[in-house]
Amino acid sequence: MSSSLPVGTYRREEVGKDPKEVSRSPCPVVNALANHGFLKRDGKNIYKEELNAAMSHVGMSNLLGSVFAYPTYFEYHNPTLAYRSPPVSTLQKVWNLLKDPYSFFSYFGCWYPKQLDTRGVKYLDLENLAAHGAIEHDISLSRRDIGQKEGNNAPQGDLIQEMLDSSWDGNTLTIDDLAAFIKNRIKRQLKDNPDLVYGPAENQVNCGQIALMMGCFGDGKTIPLSYVRAIFEHERLPYDEGWKKRTWWTMGLYEFFTAVKNLVKAVDVTF
């Protein structure tokens, strides 16, 4: 392992050699943060403060980063079994929000009850983020669905290449390019995985992930293809390609939710 490398220095750990040593997620940006040492390089025993702090290294505001980091530490509940859970009263929901505002996003929870350190503090391994139906969803940009033999966590080179090939000008990816790519992915997955689950909620999460990529690594409307290749093929932050994180004006909640709304409109999927 390369824990002695300086923070910020890139090295991609060999995930396939020994899964007990290295944990990675379905998100190439989160994996890149580990590959650069902004998270523990082995991807294990990540505390929520560490995950939240790492988000700043891609140019997210502290608040936006916390909205993505903190809710993942709620307990994971398989959405297909939600009908077994007792209903929660409105009063209880309000009380939960007063106690912890992040409980509004508790459906992003990826944590399992056994993941406590000796002090009783929660931690995650990056592979937790592959918990199906929380943040992870069918019709990913670079992963196949949980119902397929490849699983939902390992990067798929052919999907990454198809995304790169969807660039209209060969130099950048635009919102329209990515919207068309998602539509093609939906058509293909309807054939390849008849059991897929992809509705308005999953589409919004998908658009949210694209909005982050476009806002943190692009100008909100386009992103250089070289950046996309670095992030998805190498799970590396594109410093070598000229990228610099946003410092003077980080990506905040308003910009993010506005971008998601515009992307949902651009994808224009009817459910």
Side-chain angles (χ1 to χ4, degrees):
M1 301 297 290
S2 51
S3 58
S4 61
L5 285 174
V7 172
T9 300
Y10 168 79
R11 176 174 171 177
R12 189 171 187 176
E13 303 294 355
E14 295 293 335
V15 178
K17 286 188 175 179
D18 189 349
K20 295 180 181 179
E21 291 187 6
V22 180
S23 181
R24 287 296 183 264
S25 79
C27 176
V29 173
V30 172
N31 293 344
L33 289 169
N35 289 337
H36 281 277
F38 295 122
L39 291 169
K40 295 185 180 78
R41 290 185 182 271
D42 65 359
K44 291 179 172 290
N45 300 343
I46 308 292
Y47 297 105
K48 66 179 181 180
E49 293 80 10
E50 295 172 333
L51 185 57
N52 183 41
M55 296 296 110
S56 68
H57 291 285
V58 296
M60 287 190 209
S61 70
N62 290 335
L63 181 57
L64 181 60
S66 70
V67 167
F68 281 91
Y70 288 170
T72 59
Y73 288 80
F74 285 99
E75 184 176 350
Y76 172 66
H77 295 284
N78 188 332
T80 63
L81 303 178
Y83 68 93
R84 297 183 181 179
S85 302
V88 179
S89 68
T90 301
L91 183 62
Q92 184 62 50
K93 290 179 181 178
V94 171
W95 177 240
N96 289 341
L97 284 172
L98 290 173
K99 290 193 300 180
D100 185 351
Y102 294 103
S103 66
F104 182 80
F105 302 101
S106 61
Y107 48 85
F108 286 149
C110 300
W111 174 79
Y112 292 97
K114 291 184 179 180
Q115 292 180 298
L116 296 170
D117 67 11
T118 55
R119 302 166 297 166
V121 178
K122 294 179 179 180
Y123 66 84
L124 292 178
D125 297 335
L126 292 188
E127 63 199 57
N128 279 81
L129 301 183
H132 185 59
I135 295 177
E136 184 278 333
H137 53 82
D138 287 341
I139 310 184
S140 161
L141 296 179
S142 61
R143 271 68 172 168
R144 287 196 159 78
D145 299 344
I146 192 171
Q148 296 181 276
K149 64 180 181 180
E150 297 89 348
N152 66 341
N153 201 15
Q156 302 297 311
D158 61 321
L159 296 183
I160 295 171
Q161 188 58 51
E162 287 175 17
M163 177 171 56
L164 295 171
D165 290 343
S166 67
S167 167
W168 184 80
D169 65 3
N171 295 309
T172 61
L173 277 175
T174 67
I175 288 177
D176 288 340
D177 291 336
L178 288 166
F181 176 65
I182 291 174
K183 288 180 181 178
N184 288 332
R185 290 278 292 120
I186 292 172
K187 290 179 182 178
R188 176 174 172 179
Q189 288 307 102
L190 284 170
K191 295 179 180 179
D192 292 349
N193 180 23
D195 297 325
L196 73 84
V197 176
Y198 194 81
E202 290 79 12
N203 188 54
Q204 192 164 28
V205 171
N206 209 6
C207 289
Q209 293 165 345
I210 295 172
L212 285 174
M213 180 176 73
M214 299 295 276
C216 291
F217 297 98
D219 61 8
K221 296 180 180 179
T222 64
I223 180 173
L225 210 60
S226 59
Y227 291 11
V228 179
R229 183 173 286 108
I231 294 166
F232 282 87
E233 286 190 346
H234 306 293
E235 298 193 334
R236 171 174 59 79
L237 299 180
Y239 295 124
D240 294 346
E241 289 74 16
W243 173 77
K244 294 181 180 179
K245 76 169 184 176
R246 295 170 56 167
T247 53
W248 59 275
W249 188 259
T250 54
M251 189 174 194
L253 284 176
Y254 178 78
E255 179 185 347
F256 170 72
F257 284 114
T258 300
V260 173
K261 181 180 178 181
N262 292 337
L263 274 162
V264 170
K265 186 181 297 184
V267 174
D268 191 26
V269 178
T270 302
F271 297 98

